[in-house]
Amino acid sequence: MVGMVSLIEFNNDSLEVITTSTKKIVFLTKGSFVMVMVSDICDSTRMMKNLLEYMHLQIISILTTSIQDRLTSNPGYDVRNIMEGSDRFFDNIERSFYTKPNFVVDCTSFVRLSGYVRNTVGSILKKCTENESSIFMVALVAKNKLLQLVRKKKYEIHTYDLHLFLNFIQMNEDSFRTSETTLSPICFPKFISTGFLYQYVSYIPNTEICLALVTVDPEDISPIVLRDDIVEALEKENMVDYMQRSISSRPYTVMDLQIPGVIHFIYRSLTKNQMTSPEFSPPFDRPNWKEKILQIYDQTLESVHTLSDSHKLYFRNGLREKTIYWKHSAFELCVICVPFLTKEEIHLRCKQILKWISNEEINLFNQSIPVW
């Protein structure tokens, strides 16, 4: 396969997709890396390329782009020798593409939380860290979602980097819960791919809340001191209890919206680059149904992206469902409904969903990420 790719590149061309009657093979070349994915024909090229992009970025997150220089000077170098034990990171990314809606639309999601609590927590995090020159970012995480995030004003944090950051925490959760953590190196490829940042991660006792402080200095001990100051300030304002109650409460489902005929939806705020979607409810909470629903979203989005920007509404008829995609200047909404609804009835349900999201917006999204 590598020989085939090399031959095509020799002729100043590139190999991107091979399709058979049952399988699809997608290629992505990144420097010395040739990423290849073989999947069922129902997976979209868009999704497969995005997954390969994440796989490449995960490599860079572990090794930085210095690995490219090593491979250039020594093409036969076996990267596996320095990546032993990292399989779990790649496995979890692949699993996320088939189970988590936020990977379908490439944006982050926050835990549903009172706007007052989130804003208060943000103010506390900012106050505790704004005088520390080496601190890059502070985040509170629960169940692989963000509770709150603060960062330096001059630094933007890309969605890909946040997903890799959350992946790192999730895959080391047991270790972070049971042992005192030292500074762990992690590369944010979209921020700076040539070097590491360093994160201090710990769990607040008797909670599911993870506190992560990211610094640019490997010798910096301020995160260890700041961790205690932040926890003390949060507990003083009862914010830990408020957050834990929200985490422990049942996530919302489509049944909570009381809109008949809606199976599932994904709403993406284009102004905030955040998304929300309900938990899968019976009978669609089974793994095979989850994967099927996410495939429907992905196939719909791939079809939409082949059209001109003038298409703001897109309907897709399936054997067991109908799907609508609605793009607005402020949002994207994709809704899957039962098949017997008419277009007019589906459009009405979209408006009902938008009204519910508008009423809950302050709790579903981080309205403004604090910066210093």
Side-chain angles (χ1 to χ4, degrees):
M1 189 173 287
V2 174
M4 180 172 57
V5 173
S6 299
L7 179 62
I8 291 174
E9 289 182 343
F10 180 77
N11 292 306
N12 295 319
D13 204 345
S14 61
L15 183 59
E16 295 189 3
V17 184
I18 296 176
T19 304
T20 71
S21 59
T22 58
K23 299 293 180 182
K24 183 181 289 186
I25 308 172
V26 171
F27 300 81
L28 182 67
T29 301
K30 292 286 186 177
S32 300
F33 291 98
V34 179
M35 319 292 291
V36 184
M37 179 177 176
V38 181
S39 187
D40 294 332
I41 194 69
C42 56
D43 285 339
S44 74
T45 302
R46 169 188 171 275
M47 183 278 283
M48 294 172 69
K49 282 190 174 182
N50 202 20
L51 176 51
L52 290 176
E53 179 73 28
Y54 266 99
M55 292 296 186
H56 175 255
L57 291 174
Q58 181 63 70
I59 294 173
I60 302 304
S61 181
I62 297 170
L63 302 176
T64 75
T65 49
S66 62
I67 189 60
Q68 298 281 12
D69 298 331
R70 184 175 297 187
L71 288 171
T72 301
S73 61
N74 183 10
Y77 183 78
D78 192 344
V79 178
R80 292 174 297 181
N81 294 330
I82 55 175
M83 294 190 65
E84 187 175 353
S86 63
D87 289 357
R88 66 189 191 278
F89 297 112
F90 298 95
D91 291 343
N92 195 49
I93 286 177
E94 180 186 9
R95 188 162 50 247
S96 296
F97 266 82
Y98 290 97
T99 58
K100 297 179 180 178
N102 54 328
F103 279 84
V104 175
V105 291
D106 276 339
C107 60
T108 53
S109 56
F110 282 75
V111 175
R112 188 181 182 190
L113 182 67
S114 159
Y116 164 76
V117 172
R118 201 186 316 272
N119 290 338
T120 303
V121 169
S123 297
I124 290 172
L125 296 180
K126 178 181 176 181
K127 183 177 180 180
C128 290
T129 57
E130 61 187 352
N131 293 323
E132 299 293 336
S133 60
S134 62
I135 295 297
F136 168 79
M137 177 187 84
V138 182
L140 287 169
V141 178
K143 295 184 176 180
N144 207 38
K145 286 186 177 183
L146 292 165
L147 284 158
Q148 183 55 288
L149 170 74
V150 300
R151 60 172 175 82
K152 281 197 171 181
K153 185 177 182 179
K154 62 180 180 179
Y155 298 140
E156 291 289 341
I157 305 175
H158 196 280
T159 298
Y160 284 6
D161 289 337
L162 282 175
H163 282 164
L164 293 171
F165 165 73
L166 293 172
N167 190 45
F168 181 89
I169 291 176
Q170 185 180 10
M171 290 297 96
N172 290 289
E173 180 178 352
D174 292 340
S175 173
F176 292 146
R177 282 187 180 276
T178 58
S179 61
E180 186 67 23
T181 307
T182 56
L183 290 176
S184 304
I186 184 173
C187 172
F188 280 17
K190 291 294 185 177
F191 172 65
I192 181 169
S193 62
T194 57
F196 289 109
L197 299 171
Y198 301 86
Q199 55 185 350
Y200 178 83
V201 183
S202 65
Y203 276 80
I204 298 177
N206 304 314
T207 74
E208 298 175 74
I209 304 169
C210 171
L211 172 62
L213 298 101
V214 182
T215 176
V216 299
D217 183 0
E219 304 297 327
D220 188 14
I221 63 169
S222 64
I224 301 173
V225 178
L226 285 174
R227 185 264 180 199
D228 293 335
D229 292 342
I230 290 171
V231 172
E232 182 180 351
L234 290 172
E235 290 180 336
K236 183 178 179 181
E237 299 295 328
N238 295 321
M239 290 298 112
V240 173
D241 290 339
Y242 285 136
M243 287 188 289
Q244 185 56 44
R245 281 202 293 270
S246 294
I247 297 164
S248 301
S249 62
R250 179 182 63 81
Y252 79 92
T253 69
V254 291
M255 291 183 289
D256 295 319
L257 277 67
Q258 298 182 340
I259 304 175
V262 174
I263 296 174
H264 199 266
F265 69 85
I266 294 178
Y267 174 93
R268 177 187 179 189
S269 169
L270 296 177
T271 55
K272 301 179 180 66
N273 197 30
Q274 299 171 34
M275 61 81 64
T276 185
S277 65
E279 284 293 300
F280 294 95
S281 53
F284 305 106
D285 56 344
R286 296 194 296 268
N288 60 323
W289 264 110
K290 285 184 182 180
E291 184 174 332
K292 174 63 176 174
I293 287 173
L294 293 185
Q295 282 180 342
I296 292 170
Y297 283 132
D298 190 61
Q299 291 165 358
T300 301
L301 291 173
E302 182 169 62
S303 298
V304 167
H305 292 158
T306 62
L307 302 173
S308 67
D309 288 339
S310 61
H311 289 78
K312 304 301 182 183
L313 281 175
Y314 176 83
F315 283 93
R316 182 176 185 270
N317 286 323
L319 294 176
R320 299 180 180 179
E321 80 291 323
K322 288 183 179 178
T323 308
I324 183 174
Y325 168 86
W326 184 359
K327 185 173 183 179
H328 184 271
S329 60
F331 66 82
E332 289 179 314
L333 177 65
C334 201
V335 184
I336 300 176
C337 297
V338 294
F340 54 79
L341 294 179
T342 65
K343 286 185 178 181
E344 291 73 19
E345 290 171 332
I346 292 173
H347 197 261
L348 175 61
R349 279 151 178 77
C350 288
K351 291 182 177 180
Q352 292 173 319
I353 291 172
L354 291 174
K355 182 178 179 180
W356 183 86
I357 289 174
S358 177
N359 292 335
E360 288 289 325
E361 183 176 13
I362 193 170
N363 304 322
L364 294 172
F365 302 109
N366 192 342
Q367 300 299 309
S368 178
I369 293 177
V371 297
W372 72 89

